[in-house]
Amino acid sequence: MNEILRIENLNKSFDGVTPVKDVSFSVKRQNIVLITGENGAGKTTLFNLVTGLEKPTKGKVHYDGHEITGKSVLEIAKHGIIRLYQQPRLFKNLSVWENLVSAAHENAGNSFLNLVFRNRSVRSEDQKLKKKAIDLLRKFGLEELGDQTAGELSYGQQKLISFCMIAMNGTKLALLDEPFAGLNPQTIDRLSDMIVKMRDEEMTFVIIEHNLTRGLMIADHHIEMKDGRIKTLNDLGKK
Amino acid sequence: MNYFLHISVLLEIYILLALSANQKVGLSGLLTLAQAVFYGVGAYVTAIIITKLGFSYWLALPVALLTCVLAALVFSFIAGKVRDLYFSLATLAIQIIFFSVVYNWVSITNGPYGIAGISSPEILGFKINTPGSFALFGGVWVICVVLFYVWFLKTPLCRMIQATRDDQIAVLSLGKDPNYYKRVSIIISAVIAGVAGTLYATYATYIDPSSFTLDESILILSIVLIGGAGGIIGPISGALIYILLPEALKFMQMPDSVAANMRMIIFGLLLVLIVRFKPKGIFGKYLIQ
């Protein structure tokens, strides 16, 4: 099945306001979908509805063939949808490689019982994850940051590392909230390359971005929202 | 010599308490004001089982630790519902409730009169009832807990506990349950504090509610704050400073009555200086917030 995310007639109302009105669209695997719109157009609420932070008043969300409407944030994240906020959220007192290993979706050593009863295999799995984390950093040219404490990195470096964490997690779909905000042009170039590289491998991205020029350079589809509705939906003809 | 051994036993008990508080505060970022509750649960359950039911320390110990685990589950439920300042306030309430219960439930705890005649542990017929044997016994517990941390601090689970401390929303976004990591951390902390409680009860042979007050919880927290949170050396050095400070004052030929008050004054002053000039504590890895 080529479709990874399908949104059907999604609505959200509260206190007489309807920030999302009858929004429907679908996202194909290994695509980058750019969502733009003015402040208050409903973009962030849409992300909140997909990731379970808010429950829709009406409509359905399907991910990878399963309906996930109204499920909790944890359940949805476990399904494999990751959301990256505008501010990078790293584990600031851990080193960069520890951040990456912590992001791995499966690690037997995260369970106390496994630690006690399967200590040897847990250690070997953790070593493998550490190696994978270092390889990943090398792939994106960030290997020199591996042993640094995440909280000591610059804002741009933190953003790049948070993308490595997505790759480490092995998620299939990432929702990115203004990934280019606050970055210098060189870091934006680097981040764009990372997103495209990850898309080419197996990931799908839905991006909210105000930097339209840069967003359109990497996007395969463009959705413009206005007053909670989809105003235009364009296939940019790259795929 | 006996006096030195007595100080050693106290030091061992406070090292265990500091390490237990460090698990919650330093590794999990849960600023608790109720660490004395688990210390008290360990001590009271041991005392009740030994004096009222007539069982040995070795049966009282697992029951006491199991009770601490149950109390920890209640605690972790709260930690899953409230965060930061609200969590601290909730722990303050638990501390006050605990004190009220042990103070007023006279039929079980003897209330303010306390429980006397708590017999000492025995190992292979050898009774641990002298300061020397207790120092050795407590030392074994301290070594076990320190060795546990030497191992545990390098495990993926401990890494996730610290990750949850740093940003639990990020943990959630990655598809992991932050409440699980908090729960495990609180249980480990409760068990270690419980061990300290069983040691204290059997060493002192008498316990009453005054040993498990809010003051005690704040003192344990201060020990971690001064020594430094997040590692092993910090809490141990905090306990060393707290216990050995009055001994240093004695060398200055200060009378006991003055030394006791001076200890708290110097300890308070040290706390202010640490907060101002070294907020992570002397050997701290994590800034308590």
Side-chain angles (χ1 to χ4, degrees), chain A residues 89 93 101 104 110 112 126, chain B residues 151 157 159 166-167 176 180:
Chain A
R89 304 195 79 125
N93 291 289
V101 174
N110 292 345
F112 189 76
D126 201 49
Chain B
W151 167 74
L157 177 62
R159 195 187 301 135
D166 285 358
D167 194 333
K176 294 155 196 259
Y180 169 75

Side-chain angles (χ1 to χ4, degrees), chain A residues 73-74 77-78 81-83 85 89-94 97-98 101-107 109-113 115-116 119 122 126 165 169, chain B residues 148 151-152 154-160 162-178 180-181 184 188 280 285-287:
Chain A
V73 176
L74 181 62
K78 275 184 177 170
I81 300 181
I82 274 198
R83 178 176 183 175
Y85 295 86
R89 304 195 79 125
L90 301 186
F91 308 122
K92 293 198 161 59
N93 291 289
L94 301 185
W97 74 260
E98 284 176 322
V101 174
S102 302
H105 200 260
E106 294 291 336
N107 187 350
N110 292 345
S111 149
F112 189 76
L113 292 178
L115 268 189
V116 174
N119 191 255
V122 159
D126 201 49
M165 286 169 75
N169 184 265
Chain B
F148 167 77
W151 167 74
F152 185 67
K154 291 178 190 154
T155 62
L157 177 62
C158 186
R159 195 187 301 135
M160 283 313 300
Q162 293 174 82
T164 306
R165 169 198 69 192
D166 285 358
D167 194 333
Q168 67 168 4
I169 292 176
V171 171
L172 194 61
S173 302
L174 292 166
K176 294 155 196 259
D177 184 2
Y180 169 75
Y181 302 114
V184 170
I188 292 171
K280 282 187 176 178
K285 293 183 172 177
Y286 168 71
L287 179 64

Side-chain angles (χ1 to χ4, degrees), chain B residues 117-165:
Chain B
I118 306 162
S119 59
S120 308
E122 262 183 58
I123 298 176
L124 304 170
F126 178 72
K127 212 157 175 63
I128 302 166
N129 57 1
T130 61
S133 57
F134 239 104
L136 200 64
F137 186 53
V140 170
W141 275 114
V142 169
I143 289 169
C144 287
V145 172
V146 168
L147 287 177
F148 167 77
Y149 274 114
V150 169
W151 167 74
F152 185 67
L153 286 174
K154 291 178 190 154
T155 62
L157 177 62
C158 186
R159 195 187 301 135
M160 283 313 300
I161 286 172
Q162 293 174 82
T164 306
R165 169 198 69 192

Side-chain angles (χ1 to χ4, degrees), chain A:
Chain A
M1 191 175 59
N2 198 24
E3 187 180 80
I4 192 162
L5 181 72
R6 181 155 46 91
I7 291 169
E8 293 172 4
N9 299 317
L10 210 60
N11 277 266
K12 176 69 184 174
S13 307
F14 51 83
D15 300 333
V17 183
T18 310
V20 172
K21 296 167 195 158
D22 294 323
V23 169
S24 299
F25 67 93
S26 64
V27 178
K28 287 180 183 167
R29 285 172 204 279
Q30 289 188 269
N31 268 215
I32 298 172
V33 176
L34 173 70
I35 301 179
T36 58
E38 293 170 2
N39 290 331
K43 309 181 296 291
T44 301
T45 309
L46 180 65
F47 268 20
N48 290 346
L49 295 173
V50 173
T51 53
L53 211 58
E54 292 180 48
K55 309 276 178 251
T57 317
K58 208 176 84 183
K60 286 178 180 172
V61 181
H62 293 267
Y63 168 72
D64 211 8
H66 303 282
E67 190 182 339
I68 56 164
T69 323
K71 288 195 172 178
S72 71
V73 176
L74 181 62
E75 284 173 306
I76 291 172
K78 275 184 177 170
H79 269 287
I81 300 181
I82 274 198
R83 178 176 183 175
L84 237 62
Y85 295 86
Q86 189 178 331
Q87 294 295 325
R89 304 195 79 125
L90 301 186
F91 308 122
K92 293 198 161 59
N93 291 289
L94 301 185
S95 68
V96 166
W97 74 260
E98 284 176 322
N99 266 268
L100 262 65
V101 174
S102 302
H105 200 260
E106 294 291 336
N107 187 350
N110 292 345
S111 149
F112 189 76
L113 292 178
N114 282 340
L115 268 189
V116 174
F117 296 111
R118 292 177 45 207
N119 191 255
R120 194 167 288 179
S121 66
V122 159
R123 265 191 295 177
S124 115
E125 188 184 335
D126 201 49
Q127 282 304 314
K128 279 181 196 159
L129 285 173
K130 184 179 176 184
K131 187 179 175 304
K132 187 180 169 188
I134 291 166
D135 288 346
L136 201 62
L137 288 169
R138 194 171 294 129
K139 179 175 158 187
F140 292 115
L142 297 163
E143 66 269 30
E144 76 281 4
L145 302 180
D147 289 323
Q148 283 197 40
T149 306
E152 290 168 1
L153 302 179
S154 70
Y155 178 79
Q157 286 172 327
Q158 288 191 17
K159 276 240 163 169
L160 295 170
I161 296 301
S162 62
F163 274 80
C164 291
M165 286 169 75
I166 301 183
M168 189 74 190
N169 184 265
T171 185
K172 293 176 193 161
L173 174 64
L175 309 184
L176 313 179
D177 212 336
E178 297 196 45
F180 303 134
L183 297 178
N184 61 39
Q186 291 79 16
T187 313
I188 290 177
D189 284 344
R190 216 165 160 187
L191 199 54
S192 303
D193 289 345
M194 277 176 88
I195 293 172
V196 170
K197 210 180 224 180
M198 286 159 78
R199 187 269 316 266
D200 292 343
E201 283 170 2
E202 60 177 318
M203 277 194 64
T204 308
F205 292 95
V206 181
I207 305 176
I208 292 176
E209 184 54 58
H210 286 293
N211 185 341
L212 190 61
T213 319
R214 177 56 68 157
L216 288 172
M217 277 171 71
I218 58 169
D220 302 300
H221 298 271
H222 176 211
I223 294 172
E224 189 183 356
M225 289 186 73
K226 192 174 183 187
D227 299 330
R229 294 181 192 277
I230 291 181
K231 189 180 165 197
T232 57
L233 199 162
N234 295 318
D235 182 344
L236 300 174
K238 293 181 193 167
K239 281 206 161 188

